[in-house]
Amino acid sequence: MPEKDVSPDPDVSATTAARKKRAVVERDRARSQILDAARDIIRDNGVFSLSVVAVAEATGLTRTSVYRYFDGPPAMVEALAEETVGRIYARIADLDVAGSRSLDGYGRATVEEYCNDSEVNRQTVLLAGAQRFSDELVDPEVIVLENLRARQAQGLVEFDDVELAARVIVTYFRGALYGWASGLYTDEEFAVEVARSTDVGFALCGGKETL
């Protein structure tokens, strides 16, 4: 008796793949729509006005649909914060880890992305935090330390304690970020403080450029 052909029907497989692709597109579209609405609500009325009901009204989605993607306002705020961090990392991906101006580029990208929508990002930083890392994102202290070590290995800089220098730079940066988010700094002052973080790390840890 001949064996039964159990190979998948190519037409069925193609249909299933197409459905899955459409589902992904629809999911991404709905998620983006929800986050755009959340951003508008925060910008116009403050983060404490953000609710599932408000988002549903703004998007035309049902509350059930909104809950399908986010458990509630805290999850939306976290997603907005992660979007900003993701854009920063996308911008610094091509920076030379050993470049003398890499830390400047990192700081500039950070300031520009956060200040691009200051009213919203100040609030998401305070409520969701700024240092949220997925498996694909590297801790800022690791990025700074790699840069300083690479430059030190090339004889471009010297430090009494390079690890402490990296920690000081990132700590100063975080202080500037949360100070800005709290309204202590304007966007321009925030940029100045971020640029100053490297100088502080050098000054406190015996750092100096040798070339």
Side-chain angles (χ1 to χ4, degrees):
M1 181 177 179
E3 293 185 4
K4 184 178 180 180
D5 184 2
V6 294
S7 59
D9 185 326
D11 292 335
V12 173
S13 298
T15 300
T16 301
R19 286 176 179 169
K20 288 182 178 179
K21 184 176 181 179
R22 282 197 301 272
V24 170
V25 171
E26 290 172 3
R27 180 199 65 197
D28 290 346
R29 183 186 298 118
R31 192 175 186 279
S32 178
Q33 187 179 6
I34 290 168
L35 291 180
D36 286 345
R39 188 175 288 277
D40 289 341
I41 291 168
I42 294 172
R43 186 185 302 108
D44 295 340
N45 301 305
V47 72
F48 295 111
S49 297
L50 181 63
S51 68
V52 171
V53 172
V55 169
E57 290 177 351
T59 59
L61 297 171
T62 65
R63 281 177 286 179
T64 300
S65 295
V66 176
Y67 275 119
R68 185 176 299 133
Y69 300 100
F70 296 99
D71 292 336
M76 297 178 203
V77 171
E78 181 176 326
L80 289 173
E82 289 177 344
E83 277 190 343
T84 302
V85 173
R87 286 195 297 271
I88 293 169
Y89 275 76
R91 288 184 56 176
I92 67 172
D94 295 329
L95 290 178
D96 178 9
V97 68
S100 60
R101 306 261 58 95
S102 289
L103 295 186
D104 292 340
Y106 186 14
R108 185 165 51 253
T110 300
V111 169
E112 289 175 356
E113 289 300 332
Y114 277 118
C115 294
N116 183 52
D117 197 347
S118 295
E119 190 63 34
V120 174
N121 289 331
R122 287 176 191 265
Q123 297 178 72
T124 60
V125 165
L126 290 177
L127 290 179
Q131 309 305 325
R132 295 186 172 276
F133 306 108
S134 68
D135 293 338
E136 294 79 27
L137 300 182
V138 182
D139 189 302
E141 192 171 316
V142 173
I143 295 174
V144 174
L145 182 57
E146 285 183 352
N147 175 269
L148 297 182
R149 279 178 169 165
R151 290 162 65 187
Q152 189 175 47
Q154 296 175 37
L156 302 177
V157 295
E158 294 178 355
F159 284 98
D160 293 338
D161 188 332
V162 69
E163 291 186 4
L164 180 59
R167 196 171 305 122
V168 168
I169 290 170
V170 174
T171 299
Y172 192 94
F173 158 74
R174 286 174 174 156
L177 178 62
Y178 282 101
W180 167 79
S182 301
L184 297 178
Y185 298 132
T186 64
D187 290 356
E188 293 75 17
E189 290 168 337
F190 175 42
V192 170
E193 290 302 311
V194 169
R196 185 176 292 158
S197 62
T198 300
D199 295 336
V200 172
F202 270 68
L204 294 181
C205 301
K208 62 180 180 180
E209 295 186 350
T210 57
L211 292 177

